[in-house]
Amino acid sequence: MTGVGIDAVEIRTGKLKLDLAETFAPAKGEEPGKYTKGLGLHASSFPDEFEDIVTMGANAAHQLMERKGLEPADIGRIDVATESAFDNSKPVSTYIAGCLEQVFDGDFHHANKGERKFACIAGTQSLDDAYNWIRAGRNRGRSALVVCTDTALYARGDPGEATQGAGAVAMLISEDPDLVELSTEQGYGSADETDFLKPNQQFPSVDGKRSVQVYLARMREAVEDFESVAGTIHPDDFELLPFHTPFPGMVRKAAALAYRHMIRDTEIEETLAEDIGRQPRPEAFDTEEAYLDAMGEYTDQLVETEQYTEWYDRAVDPTLDISREVGNWYTGSVHVARVSGLKHALEAGLDLTGKRLGVASYGSGAQAEVHAETVQPGWEAEIAQLDIEEQMADRYELSFEEYERVHDIHNHDKETEADPLTTPEGEFVFDGWGRMGERKYRYVE
Ligand code: CAA
């Protein structure tokens, strides 16, 4: 059987922008460096008054289908991954299909539609579902549409407020894909955790510091599980390592642990031993605390080495370019990281065809998943058509007062009327409420 993977991708950012250093930091009485250096974020995207998870997802899917010359009959499955759903029964994919049926001839009546929930990892799980459906031979030659869409908003004043974001990623999953082929091998790290959750509430309850530790612990388990099926991994195995990116500083921490793990018992560890010693081994310590302290010191020195910096700048930093400017998109975040890394490679003139990516997804609650992807010959053309730079540059820049109002508009517990700050053109917009409390949408030429 031919390979299965991501055939096409489109990204849609919320149309508003909040600058963290210039606008958010002064209003919060914080140093801009906390956001730009500490968290690694420069700006967040927000949805305008007429945008939500349906419009952003439908606009990304519409753009993707038009560009690929697809009709509804070519799509056998629509899965939406989100942790911002507004209905406990009717899935967002039905709303998105309804939008698309306004602009395409034909319908999606024979497509299987669903909604996936497991915090930010649901997007990757939807890719899995599509992959499995195609590999099982149930797709009748059709492709699957996976849409990751979120308005990642936190309660005002929550430490997570600085990491907010809004946007959607639409991906077409097919046989013989143009962008990347997914590996059969996968690794999981999964445990019952209460680090970040939304028990029937819009904004999350977050134990921020703990969530960082849970991310790292589950990711480590997933890497070990992946190695148990795919063999030991080495830093040279992967051209890029897209991670789930709630904020780039989180990935900085995860990358250091991943590199440390990958170089253990390799020629890299031996070479570095002259300067920083070998990695501490647990059997050399009386207590776990002493071992962890020594490991912490080793890691601090490791990230200062030339070997580490070269690897990080090549394989990880390029995946963070878009995230820095748009914030956390929850389910879409790791898929934005993949695109960001490939875009950087295209601009640098690198030939990635046949090279491998190591993709590391995470969802609070909590689960990490690691798999590999092989870049396909059509990747350059696919990445070259993205207009995310233009979209980011065209965003309306919010004052702090406007940001407060926009947050209120999208707060389900508040009734805030306000005019939009941008003018919709060639896109789906929210169009008010129906008789059963459903949300309605229309296409604006
Ligand atoms: N210059 C440079 N750096 C500075 C600085 C300055 N002036 N001021 C602070 N910093 C650094 C801090 O040292 C810290 O870096 P380290 O962690 O490397 O030490 C960083 O900036 C952040 O500062 P604080 O830790 O003081 O920030 P905080 O406590 O206000 O918030 C947070 C951090 C808890 C992660 C918060 O952003 C949060 O709750 N975020 C939401 C939860 C989240 O994203 N968790 C990530 C894992 S869970 C996940 O991935 C799922 C998901 O998508 C939500």
Side-chain angles (χ1 to χ4, degrees):
M1 185 184 191
T2 52
V4 174
I6 305 172
D7 198 24
V9 63
E10 286 290 348
I11 304 185
R12 196 75 182 203
T13 175
K15 301 182 95 163
L16 309 178
K17 167 186 170 183
L18 177 67
D19 189 293
L20 294 176
E22 301 286 326
T23 311
F24 189 72
K28 291 280 169 185
E30 296 275 10
E31 286 286 315
K34 171 170 176 179
Y35 305 114
T36 53
K37 296 199 177 76
L39 297 176
L41 284 169
H42 295 180
S44 308
S45 283
F46 284 89
D48 204 343
E49 179 266 345
F50 54 83
E51 292 186 290
D52 65 13
I53 52 172
V54 173
T55 65
M56 294 186 299
N59 287 323
H62 180 207
Q63 208 166 321
L64 184 152
M65 285 184 64
E66 280 221 313
R67 181 169 60 76
K68 290 297 249 191
L70 297 171
E71 296 170 4
D74 299 317
I75 305 293
R77 194 178 168 104
I78 306 178
D79 285 307
V80 171
T82 185
E83 46 188 304
S84 322
F86 46 77
D87 192 311
N88 286 326
S89 176
K90 183 175 155 61
V92 172
S93 50
T94 59
Y95 284 100
I96 289 184
C99 286
L100 296 173
E101 284 169 357
Q102 291 182 33
V103 293
F104 286 107
D105 291 333
D107 60 54
F108 294 94
H109 287 203
H110 302 299
N112 186 9
K113 306 181 190 94
E115 190 173 298
R116 255 288 190 175
K117 179 182 71 182
F118 195 150
C120 309
I121 202 173
T124 298
Q125 291 183 317
S126 298
L127 287 190
D128 276 354
D129 293 340
Y131 176 95
N132 295 339
W133 171 71
I134 295 173
R135 291 299 294 256
R138 297 177 122 183
N139 61 320
R140 300 184 229 156
R142 297 174 298 171
S143 296
L145 190 57
V146 168
V147 181
C148 307
T149 181
D150 273 297
T151 45
L153 299 183
Y154 288 74
R156 298 292 316 285
D158 187 286
E161 195 182 358
T163 69
Q164 297 176 118
V169 180
M171 290 173 279
L172 189 73
I173 316 305
S174 313
E175 273 180 68
D176 193 15
D178 278 347
L179 189 60
V180 292
E181 190 180 306
L182 308 189
S183 66
T184 311
E185 295 83 11
Q186 294 176 290
Y188 289 101
S190 188
D192 178 11
E193 301 273 11
T194 44
D195 52 333
F196 171 113
L197 52 156
K198 297 182 178 179
N200 284 326
Q201 63 197 41
Q202 184 189 5
F203 302 132
S205 299
V206 194
D207 185 341
K209 301 282 184 214
R210 190 170 144 60
S211 73
V212 170
Q213 295 312 317
V214 175
Y215 178 120
L216 298 174
R218 304 286 76 84
M219 200 60 89
R220 178 200 181 90
E221 280 179 351
V223 168
E224 288 170 354
D225 193 41
F226 179 71
E227 287 186 312
S228 75
V229 285
T232 308
I233 55 174
H234 184 278
D236 294 343
D237 289 350
F238 302 112
E239 217 54 35
L240 292 166
L241 283 163
F243 281 87
H244 168 58
T245 312
F247 53 92
M250 180 71 242
V251 173
R252 215 163 44 218
K253 292 181 204 288
L257 302 200
Y259 188 79
R260 193 182 74 197
H261 176 86
M262 288 189 286
I263 64 164
R264 195 170 302 148
D265 296 322
T266 67
E267 74 295 351
I268 303 178
E269 185 186 24
E270 285 313 317
T271 310
L272 289 173
E274 287 170 26
D275 292 329
I276 62 171
R278 292 183 76 236
Q279 293 191 24
R281 304 301 202 261
E283 51 278 13
F285 294 86
D286 291 337
T287 63
E288 194 185 347
E289 201 186 346
Y291 164 64
L292 292 177
D293 282 351
M295 202 51 140
E297 276 173 35
Y298 176 86
T299 311
D300 289 346
Q301 289 179 298
L302 177 66
V303 297
E304 298 298 330
T305 63
E306 216 179 294
Q307 282 88 340
Y308 179 82
T309 313
E310 266 178 22
W311 171 79
Y312 183 85
D313 288 350
R314 169 183 67 76
V316 181
D317 198 57
T319 69
L320 306 174
D321 289 349
I322 299 176
S323 165
R324 272 189 202 101
E325 302 301 327
V326 302
N328 192 358
W329 288 8
Y330 289 160
T331 54
S333 155
V334 66
H335 308 292
V336 166
R338 178 196 295 103
V339 163
S340 180
L342 291 174
K343 199 166 167 310
H344 190 273
L346 181 71
E347 284 156 11
L350 303 180
D351 179 11
L352 291 197
T353 301
K355 300 274 170 55
R356 290 184 2 127
L357 316 182
V359 181
S361 305
Y362 175 74
S364 296
Q367 181 160 302
E369 189 262 7
V370 171
H371 68 264
E373 298 180 355
T374 307
V375 180
Q376 299 299 296
W379 76 277
E380 286 162 303
E382 193 48 43
I383 294 297
Q385 53 70 36
L386 287 169
D387 66 353
I388 182 64
E389 293 290 341
E390 291 81 0
Q391 287 185 49
M392 290 194 299
D394 286 350
R395 285 175 297 176
Y396 175 93
E397 187 154 346
L398 296 165
S399 67
F400 194 75
E401 293 68 32
E402 286 168 333
Y403 156 65
E404 290 184 300
R405 200 157 55 244
V406 166
H407 198 284
D408 283 351
I409 291 172
H410 295 284
N411 183 335
H412 299 170
D413 293 333
K414 292 194 175 175
E415 282 187 24
T416 308
E417 299 273 327
D419 290 333
L421 295 161
T422 62
T423 308
E425 194 186 332
E427 63 195 285
F428 297 103
V429 296
F430 171 63
D431 195 29
W433 304 90
R435 72 184 170 92
M436 291 176 74
E438 75 276 22
R439 294 172 76 89
K440 295 170 75 168
Y441 298 92
R442 92 188 137 84
Y443 188 74
V444 174
E445 292 293 343

